[in-house]
mmCIF file of all heavy atoms in Angstrom:
data_model
loop_
_atom_site.group_PDB
_atom_site.id
_atom_site.type_symbol
_atom_site.label_atom_id
_atom_site.label_comp_id
_atom_site.label_asym_id
_atom_site.label_seq_id
_atom_site.Cartn_x
_atom_site.Cartn_y
_atom_site.Cartn_z
ATOM 1 N N MET I 185 -9.293 3.695 17.920
ATOM 2 C CA MET I 185 -9.232 3.074 19.230
ATOM 3 C C MET I 185 -10.627 3.103 19.813
ATOM 4 O O MET I 185 -10.951 3.941 20.685
ATOM 5 C CB MET I 185 -8.257 3.848 20.132
ATOM 6 C CG MET I 185 -6.875 3.938 19.503
ATOM 7 S SD MET I 185 -5.894 5.297 20.218
ATOM 8 C CE MET I 185 -5.356 4.581 21.744
ATOM 9 N N PRO I 186 -11.516 2.169 19.346
ATOM 10 C CA PRO I 186 -12.919 2.220 19.782
ATOM 11 C C PRO I 186 -13.024 2.289 21.290
ATOM 12 O O PRO I 186 -12.332 1.551 21.966
ATOM 13 C CB PRO I 186 -13.511 0.941 19.216
ATOM 14 C CG PRO I 186 -12.650 0.579 18.047
ATOM 15 C CD PRO I 186 -11.258 1.035 18.450
ATOM 16 N N GLY I 187 -13.903 3.156 21.795
ATOM 17 C CA GLY I 187 -14.094 3.283 23.217
ATOM 18 C C GLY I 187 -13.136 4.301 23.860
ATOM 19 O O GLY I 187 -13.279 4.589 25.046
ATOM 20 N N HIS I 188 -12.217 4.827 23.080
ATOM 21 C CA HIS I 188 -11.303 5.846 23.652
ATOM 22 C C HIS I 188 -12.130 7.043 24.088
ATOM 23 O O HIS I 188 -12.998 7.551 23.395
ATOM 24 C CB HIS I 188 -10.270 6.266 22.608
ATOM 25 C CG HIS I 188 -9.139 7.062 23.193
ATOM 26 N ND1 HIS I 188 -9.283 8.412 23.511
ATOM 27 C CD2 HIS I 188 -7.875 6.709 23.540
ATOM 28 C CE1 HIS I 188 -8.128 8.805 24.010
ATOM 29 N NE2 HIS I 188 -7.253 7.790 24.088
ATOM 30 N N PRO I 189 -11.879 7.518 25.316
ATOM 31 C CA PRO I 189 -12.731 8.605 25.854
ATOM 32 C C PRO I 189 -12.699 9.887 25.036
ATOM 33 O O PRO I 189 -13.640 10.667 25.058
ATOM 34 C CB PRO I 189 -12.144 8.857 27.246
ATOM 35 C CG PRO I 189 -10.828 8.115 27.312
ATOM 36 C CD PRO I 189 -10.873 7.032 26.278
ATOM 37 N N SER I 190 -11.637 10.075 24.223
ATOM 38 C CA SER I 190 -11.606 11.319 23.428
ATOM 39 C C SER I 190 -12.673 11.328 22.328
ATOM 40 O O SER I 190 -13.035 12.385 21.840
ATOM 41 C CB SER I 190 -10.208 11.479 22.782
ATOM 42 O OG SER I 190 -10.024 10.517 21.773
ATOM 43 N N ILE I 191 -13.130 10.138 21.930
ATOM 44 C CA ILE I 191 -14.088 10.061 20.796
ATOM 45 C C ILE I 191 -15.362 10.777 21.171
ATOM 46 O O ILE I 191 -15.873 11.628 20.443
ATOM 47 C CB ILE I 191 -14.319 8.604 20.394
ATOM 48 C CG1 ILE I 191 -13.019 7.984 19.850
ATOM 49 C CG2 ILE I 191 -15.462 8.513 19.365
ATOM 50 C CD1 ILE I 191 -13.101 6.495 19.588
ATOM 51 N N GLY I 192 -15.922 10.402 22.328
ATOM 52 C CA GLY I 192 -17.137 11.054 22.793
ATOM 53 C C GLY I 192 -16.961 12.547 23.001
ATOM 54 O O GLY I 192 -17.834 13.367 22.670
ATOM 55 N N ARG I 193 -15.793 12.900 23.543
ATOM 56 C CA ARG I 193 -15.520 14.324 23.775
ATOM 57 C C ARG I 193 -15.476 15.077 22.456
ATOM 58 O O ARG I 193 -15.965 16.195 22.347
ATOM 59 C CB ARG I 193 -14.207 14.484 24.520
ATOM 60 C CG ARG I 193 -14.265 14.144 26.003
ATOM 61 C CD ARG I 193 -13.103 14.774 26.812
ATOM 62 N NE ARG I 193 -11.795 14.307 26.374
ATOM 63 C CZ ARG I 193 -11.136 13.257 26.900
ATOM 64 N NH1 ARG I 193 -11.690 12.572 27.876
ATOM 65 N NH2 ARG I 193 -9.956 12.908 26.484
ATOM 66 N N GLN I 194 -14.867 14.442 21.457
ATOM 67 C CA GLN I 194 -14.755 15.136 20.136
ATOM 68 C C GLN I 194 -16.137 15.292 19.501
ATOM 69 O O GLN I 194 -16.439 16.318 18.902
ATOM 70 C CB GLN I 194 -13.795 14.417 19.204
ATOM 71 C CG GLN I 194 -12.325 14.679 19.579
ATOM 72 C CD GLN I 194 -11.404 14.433 18.413
ATOM 73 O OE1 GLN I 194 -10.674 13.437 18.409
ATOM 74 N NE2 GLN I 194 -11.406 15.300 17.421
ATOM 75 N N LEU I 195 -16.977 14.260 19.605
ATOM 76 C CA LEU I 195 -18.335 14.356 19.049
ATOM 77 C C LEU I 195 -19.110 15.493 19.746
ATOM 78 O O LEU I 195 -19.766 16.296 19.083
ATOM 79 C CB LEU I 195 -19.092 13.011 19.206
ATOM 80 C CG LEU I 195 -18.730 11.945 18.207
ATOM 81 C CD1 LEU I 195 -19.457 10.635 18.548
ATOM 82 C CD2 LEU I 195 -19.117 12.390 16.791
ATOM 83 N N ALA I 196 -18.963 15.574 21.073
ATOM 84 C CA ALA I 196 -19.681 16.653 21.789
ATOM 85 C C ALA I 196 -19.151 18.011 21.397
ATOM 86 O O ALA I 196 -19.921 18.969 21.173
ATOM 87 C CB ALA I 196 -19.502 16.438 23.319
ATOM 88 N N ALA I 197 -17.824 18.091 21.232
ATOM 89 C CA ALA I 197 -17.214 19.372 20.821
ATOM 90 C C ALA I 197 -17.635 19.759 19.423
ATOM 91 O O ALA I 197 -17.862 20.928 19.107
ATOM 92 C CB ALA I 197 -15.698 19.293 20.925
ATOM 93 N N PHE I 198 -17.769 18.726 18.557
ATOM 94 C CA PHE I 198 -18.195 19.005 17.150
ATOM 95 C C PHE I 198 -19.647 19.484 17.182
ATOM 96 O O PHE I 198 -19.965 20.505 16.481
ATOM 97 C CB PHE I 198 -18.055 17.732 16.304
ATOM 98 C CG PHE I 198 -18.215 17.947 14.854
ATOM 99 C CD1 PHE I 198 -17.611 18.996 14.177
ATOM 100 C CD2 PHE I 198 -19.028 17.094 14.104
ATOM 101 C CE1 PHE I 198 -17.791 19.223 12.798
ATOM 102 C CE2 PHE I 198 -19.201 17.250 12.713
ATOM 103 C CZ PHE I 198 -18.570 18.298 12.082
ATOM 104 N N ASP I 199 -20.510 18.821 17.962
ATOM 105 C CA ASP I 199 -21.898 19.290 18.024
ATOM 106 C C ASP I 199 -21.973 20.725 18.504
ATOM 107 O O ASP I 199 -22.780 21.517 18.065
ATOM 108 C CB ASP I 199 -22.691 18.375 18.994
ATOM 109 C CG ASP I 199 -23.006 17.019 18.303
ATOM 110 O OD1 ASP I 199 -23.034 16.974 17.036
ATOM 111 O OD2 ASP I 199 -23.187 16.028 19.006
#
Side-chain angles (χ1 to χ4, degrees):
M185 303 159 79
H188 192 281
S190 70
I191 296 172
R193 285 199 299 268
Q194 283 202 254
L195 281 174
F198 190 47
D199 285 335

